[in-house]
Structures are given as structure tokens and as C-alpha cells.
């Protein structure tokens, strides 16, 4: 892990633990490796263990085609200082389900269908959504959505 990555992680950690007000929410687009990396990003995930009932978190893995200028898989990480200790993990990585494709000047462009993501979460579709408490998380706070889903799609 490079110095720039470490600085980003340290800054996000400080924002979450020192600057986030009660009932405050922090949203970030992060590499999907954030969910499982054994070092670096794990410091940010450990907030959920260090303060088990202080924060709630949501991770939504996003389709690859959504960010075409990177080969990195990405996710939306939402951390809420709400004193509830809940976790919501959503696998919205399927571009066939969660994106609409447009042909623009001969190039394929993908656009996220946010309403489909919202409906999937609202219905608690077990193929894509897992919810629980921080204490239910496995392996040193593994936040990879697909790890907790009952079936693969």
C-alpha cells in the first residue's frame, strides 16, 4: 500500500471518528478491496468493531461498467453515526440487472438504475441484500456483500 492510499485511509478514519457529528453520514466511493483487505482498509472497517453500537454501515458493490476508466471494482460505503450498530450489504454488481446500456457515438455507456437498487433493498431480496448487526459480521469485519448472500445470481 502506497503512502497516498495510507493518507486517504487515515483521513477517512479521522473524519469518521473525530469529525462526524451524531446522526452524521459519510458516503464514499471506494475500491471493493476495502471490504476484505487485511491491512490498510481494515483500519476503516474496524470502526464497526471499536464502536459496535455507535455506527451503522452500508456497502453497495457497484457494476464494473459504471466506472469505465478504471479496472478496479468499486463500492459505495455509507457510514452513519446513529447509535444502532446495523449493517446492510448489497451486491448490485450485476450490470445486466442494475444498469441500462446506452450506445453513444458507437461506444457503450452504462448508467446505474438507482430505482432498481432501491427496490431491491426495499424488498430485502436475499439474492442481493444482507442485513444484520455488526456482531454478525465474519472474519475481522469482512464487508464483502457476496460473502453473506444465500444464493449466487
Amino acid at each position: 500500500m502506497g503512502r497516498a492510499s495510507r493518507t486517504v485511509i487515515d483521513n477517512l478514519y479521522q473524519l469518521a471518528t473525530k469529525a462526524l457529528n451524531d446522526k452524521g453520514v459519510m458516503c464514499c466511493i471506494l475500491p471493493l478491496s476495502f471490504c476484505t483487505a487485511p491491512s490498510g482498509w481494515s483500519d476503516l472497517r474496524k470502526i464497526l468493531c471499536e464502536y459496535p453500537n455507535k455506527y451503522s454501515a452500508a456497502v453497495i458493490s457497484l457494476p464494473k461498467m459504471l466506472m469505465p476508466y478504471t479496472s478496479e471494482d468499486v463500492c459505495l460505503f455509507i457510514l452513519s453515526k446513529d447509535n444502532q450498530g446495523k449493517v446492510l450489504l448489497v451486491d448490485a454488481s450485476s450490470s445486466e440487472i442494475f444498469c441500462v446500456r446506452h450506445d453513444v457515438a458507437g461506444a457503450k455507456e452504462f448508467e446505474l438504475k438507482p430505482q432498481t437498487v432501491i427496490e431491491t433493498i426495499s424488498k430485502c431480496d436475499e439474492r442481493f441484500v444482507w442485513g444484520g448487526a455488526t456482531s454478525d459480521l465474519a472474519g475481522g469485519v469482512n464487508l464483502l456483500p457476496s460473502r453473506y448472500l444465500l444464493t449466487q445470481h
Side-chain angles (χ1 to χ4, degrees):
M1 170 172 299
R3 181 180 289 183
S5 294
R6 184 72 246 177
T7 301
V8 168
I9 294 165
D10 290 342
N11 287 337
L12 289 173
Y13 185 89
Q14 291 301 317
L15 284 170
T17 59
K18 307 285 187 228
L20 195 61
N21 296 326
D22 287 340
K23 301 193 185 209
V25 178
M26 180 174 81
C27 301
C28 315
I29 299 285
L30 299 174
L32 193 60
S33 61
F34 153 78
C35 296
T36 59
S39 63
W41 288 116
S42 65
D43 295 347
L44 189 56
R45 294 191 316 269
K46 286 179 186 174
I47 290 172
L48 299 173
C49 291
E50 293 169 3
Y51 309 97
N53 295 314
K54 193 172 195 174
Y55 295 93
S56 291
V59 174
I60 303 172
S61 60
L62 298 172
K64 288 183 183 214
M65 299 299 180
L66 196 59
M67 309 227 12
Y69 305 107
T70 179
S71 60
E72 187 84 36
D73 291 340
V74 295
C75 65
L76 173 62
F77 174 60
I78 304 165
L79 186 69
S80 177
K81 193 173 182 182
D82 62 2
N83 298 316
Q84 293 186 25
K86 295 181 180 177
V87 178
L88 179 70
L89 304 176
V90 181
D91 184 358
S93 62
S94 171
S95 57
E96 293 84 26
I97 297 169
F98 297 104
C99 282
V100 61
R101 181 181 141 188
H102 302 287
D103 288 322
V104 178
K108 298 176 194 171
E109 289 190 6
F110 291 85
E111 178 183 341
L112 187 66
K113 297 189 291 190
Q115 193 59 39
T116 303
V117 177
I118 292 167
E119 288 171 5
T120 301
I121 294 169
S122 296
K123 293 176 185 174
C124 292
D125 186 333
E126 292 181 345
R127 295 175 299 158
F128 305 103
V129 179
W130 179 88
T134 303
S135 59
D136 297 331
L137 294 172
V141 190
N142 182 323
L143 294 175
L144 189 63
S146 60
R147 178 179 177 134
Y148 299 90
L149 299 176
L150 298 177
T151 59
Q152 297 298 316
H153 44 274

